[in-house]
Amino acid sequence: MTLRDLPSVDEVAQRLSPLLARYPRALLIGEIRRQIEIARSEIRKGAQTGPDIGGRVTAALEQLSSPSLRRVINATGVVLHTNLGRAPLAAFTPPAGYSNLEYDLRTGKRGKRDVHVGGLLEGLLGKPAIVANNNAAAVWLVLHEMAAGAEVVVSRGQLIEIGDGFRIPDIMVRAGVTLREVGTTNRTRIEDYRDAITERTRLLLIVHPSNFRIEGFTAQPERREIVELGRERGIPVYEDLGSGCMVDLSPWGVKEPLVQQALADGVQLVSFSGDKLLGGPQAGVIAGEAELVARLRRNPMFRAFRVDKLILQAMETTLRHLVLEQWDAIPALRMIRENAASIRARSEAFAGKLGAARASVVAGLSVIGGGSTPQQSLPTWRVRIEVDNVVEAERRLRSGDPAVVAMIEDGALMLDLRTVLPEEEHELAEAVRQ
């Protein structure tokens, strides 16, 4: 195969002329040129056979016509799967066309977008709250407004990395604050906080280690000790709770601090994620004393970090379910609260639908994931499927429509129905049979 053997743009365009009924001519010609250039590069690198330019162009245009962000059936048993969007959203229908995003329908005047979720958050937490686009933005906003140009005291054992290389110390520096580390990695005492306070101290920071645990010879001061110290010295206390747990999940074996308890203990500001244990969309919620929240709202960067109407509607839907205690309407909470006996019954019924597939039901463990509840797991039952080529089977499920993300364990395909919505089971069974 040589460069001379490649077809011209016109030749390919003539063969693909039926595609002009679906795609603009400029798009078609541009893709033909791109694929010919890719073929030239392959030939220069030693390719011996000529590519099907027409086939490549057609495939590329079909891919362009299909949404990149697609629905996925999560059969991994990881409830808050970071790569799959963390918390699965409760059903909601975005309003087509216009909406009253910043318009008060009662008065006919301009309104604030916060009203769609602010009242619900205050009803749940007993404190006013605002919403940013994620918790990293929320942390930055609090630090910048409360302590830019001054010092923030934090335990060395809480200087965490929150994922994808983002570290709390880096966010603090970017917010313009001076980090005052106290204690050691494994042991920090209230005296360490007290001794670190100077005339430049503006904030005492608590960071909940939601994605790791340090065990053994460890110590951290109680939250109330830090709050008392803050009151004594007139310095606000801010806690980054990360996972945003607002429902007591301890009856289901999940021990995670509640946002409501932190505020009840006297912490003046808290922040947390919307797409973890809250069960909503990606967002960062900041709640606390009215005067401080009002300051954060006035910070010019709050506008840069604000969320759009789709996030607000998804958050409003989730918060309303929480207010009404409709736990099962929030998929993540339903999945966490489902007991192993229920999952076993679903798994046995599911395995029976697979026909000739070599399926069995085995005990296992689900995890919450998403940077939450480390070293805590949930008993579950999995559908184990024996296949001749497990790697190819997993790839085919992942490449299907809908895509199915499963696990490979001990040479077999594993499906954990804890993270499969009941209405998805028929599609999942069909995908496995195929």
Side-chain angles (χ1 to χ4, degrees), residues 28-218:
L28 176 63
I29 297 301
E31 188 59 39
I32 292 171
R33 287 177 175 151
R34 191 175 77 90
Q35 293 299 336
I36 289 176
E37 189 56 39
I38 292 173
R40 287 195 183 105
S41 177
E42 292 173 350
I43 291 171
R44 292 190 185 106
K45 292 178 181 178
Q48 300 299 312
T49 58
D52 177 8
I53 300 295
R56 288 187 176 186
V57 169
T58 301
L61 292 177
E62 288 178 351
Q63 183 177 9
L64 183 64
S65 301
S66 303
S68 176
L69 188 63
R70 299 164 51 199
R71 182 171 69 92
V72 169
I73 296 178
N74 175 14
T76 66
V78 181
V79 177
L80 305 177
H81 199 304
T82 299
N83 302 124
L84 303 183
R86 285 191 178 157
L89 291 176
F92 74 101
T93 303
Y98 297 103
S99 68
N100 62 328
L101 178 64
E102 292 185 358
Y103 184 74
D104 189 328
L105 294 171
R106 183 179 57 85
T107 65
K109 296 179 180 180
R110 179 169 182 169
K112 294 183 180 295
R113 61 179 62 197
D114 301 60
V115 301
H116 304 292
V117 298
L120 293 168
L121 281 166
E122 188 163 357
L124 286 162
L125 300 174
K127 298 286 184 179
I130 56 176
V131 180
N133 56 7
N134 59 34
N135 194 44
V139 171
W140 189 96
L141 188 64
V142 172
L143 295 175
H144 182 266
E145 177 58 36
M146 301 297 296
E151 291 184 350
V152 174
V153 178
V154 62
S155 168
R156 284 190 174 88
Q158 296 175 359
L159 295 177
I160 65 173
E161 181 174 309
I162 59 177
D164 199 25
F166 291 95
R167 296 175 174 177
I168 288 293
D170 296 338
I171 294 174
M172 296 178 72
V173 171
R174 294 284 180 167
V177 308
T178 299
L179 179 64
R180 189 69 182 267
E181 303 176 25
V182 299
T184 64
T185 301
N186 60 319
R187 291 182 70 82
T188 302
R189 301 176 179 85
I190 192 64
E191 290 78 13
D192 297 320
Y193 282 84
R194 189 184 304 276
D195 294 342
I197 294 175
T198 69
E199 69 279 357
R200 298 188 65 239
T201 305
R202 295 292 179 271
L203 200 66
L204 304 181
L205 173 62
I206 305 171
V207 182
H208 173 58
S210 59
N211 62 356
F212 75 99
R213 287 287 184 271
I214 298 178
E215 297 181 344
F217 188 59
T218 65

Side-chain angles (χ1 to χ4, degrees), residues 80 87 121 124 242-247 259 272-281 283 285 315 318-319 322 330 332-333:
L80 305 177
L121 281 166
L124 286 162
S243 62
C245 188
M246 294 174 69
V247 176
V259 179
F272 52 91
S273 295
D275 58 350
K276 292 186 178 180
L277 290 177
L278 178 64
V285 179
M315 180 66 81
T318 303
L319 293 173
L322 287 172
I330 302 174
L333 295 185

Side-chain angles (χ1 to χ4, degrees), residues 125-417:
L125 300 174
K127 298 286 184 179
I130 56 176
V131 180
N133 56 7
N134 59 34
N135 194 44
V139 171
W140 189 96
L141 188 64
V142 172
L143 295 175
H144 182 266
E145 177 58 36
M146 301 297 296
E151 291 184 350
V152 174
V153 178
V154 62
S155 168
R156 284 190 174 88
Q158 296 175 359
L159 295 177
I160 65 173
E161 181 174 309
I162 59 177
D164 199 25
F166 291 95
R167 296 175 174 177
I168 288 293
D170 296 338
I171 294 174
M172 296 178 72
V173 171
R174 294 284 180 167
V177 308
T178 299
L179 179 64
R180 189 69 182 267
E181 303 176 25
V182 299
T184 64
T185 301
N186 60 319
R187 291 182 70 82
T188 302
R189 301 176 179 85
I190 192 64
E191 290 78 13
D192 297 320
Y193 282 84
R194 189 184 304 276
D195 294 342
I197 294 175
T198 69
E199 69 279 357
R200 298 188 65 239
T201 305
R202 295 292 179 271
L203 200 66
L204 304 181
L205 173 62
I206 305 171
V207 182
H208 173 58
S210 59
N211 62 356
F212 75 99
R213 287 287 184 271
I214 298 178
E215 297 181 344
F217 188 59
T218 65
Q220 287 287 341
E222 294 290 332
R223 176 192 288 143
R224 291 180 180 177
E225 292 182 276
I226 299 174
V227 168
E228 289 173 6
L229 175 61
R231 286 174 179 161
E232 174 189 320
R233 305 297 290 270
I235 300 171
V237 177
Y238 160 50
E239 183 167 3
D240 172 20
L241 280 167
S243 62
C245 188
M246 294 174 69
V247 176
D248 182 10
L249 298 174
S250 59
W252 294 272
V254 178
K255 297 180 180 179
E256 191 72 3
L258 293 174
V259 179
Q260 296 93 321
Q261 188 60 55
L263 292 169
D265 286 346
V267 173
Q268 281 92 346
L269 285 172
V270 297
S271 71
F272 52 91
S273 295
D275 58 350
K276 292 186 178 180
L277 290 177
L278 178 64
Q282 176 181 298
V285 179
I286 306 170
E289 298 303 321
E291 178 185 351
L292 301 183
V293 172
R295 280 181 57 184
L296 297 172
R297 188 194 300 278
R298 291 193 296 268
N299 188 296
M301 288 303 292
F302 177 55
R303 182 178 179 87
F305 293 146
R306 70 181 184 178
V307 296
D308 76 340
K309 56 190 174 186
L310 296 180
I311 296 297
L312 282 172
Q313 189 180 4
M315 180 66 81
E316 180 187 1
T317 300
T318 303
L319 293 173
R320 182 164 285 106
H321 288 316
L322 287 172
V323 168
L324 298 176
E325 298 186 2
Q326 298 168 340
W327 315 129
D328 286 347
I330 302 174
L333 295 185
R334 183 194 61 76
M335 292 171 181
I336 292 170
R337 295 168 69 250
E338 186 172 11
N339 61 49
S342 172
I343 296 174
R344 181 175 188 175
R346 289 176 60 199
S347 298
E348 289 174 346
F350 181 86
K353 298 175 183 177
L354 298 183
R358 291 169 288 174
S360 58
V361 176
V362 296
L365 294 173
S366 306
V367 296
I368 294 177
S372 300
T373 64
Q375 298 181 344
Q376 297 186 56
S377 55
L378 304 169
T380 192
W381 290 84
R382 297 171 175 171
V383 179
R384 175 187 174 94
I385 304 173
E386 303 284 347
V387 291
D388 294 333
N389 187 333
V390 67
V391 174
E392 176 63 14
E394 186 274 338
R395 185 198 67 79
R396 289 181 63 184
L397 284 173
R398 183 166 27 91
S399 303
D401 185 16
V404 174
V405 180
M407 300 173 292
I408 296 177
E409 190 174 287
D410 297 330
L413 199 66
M414 291 286 194
L415 309 174
D416 188 339
L417 297 190

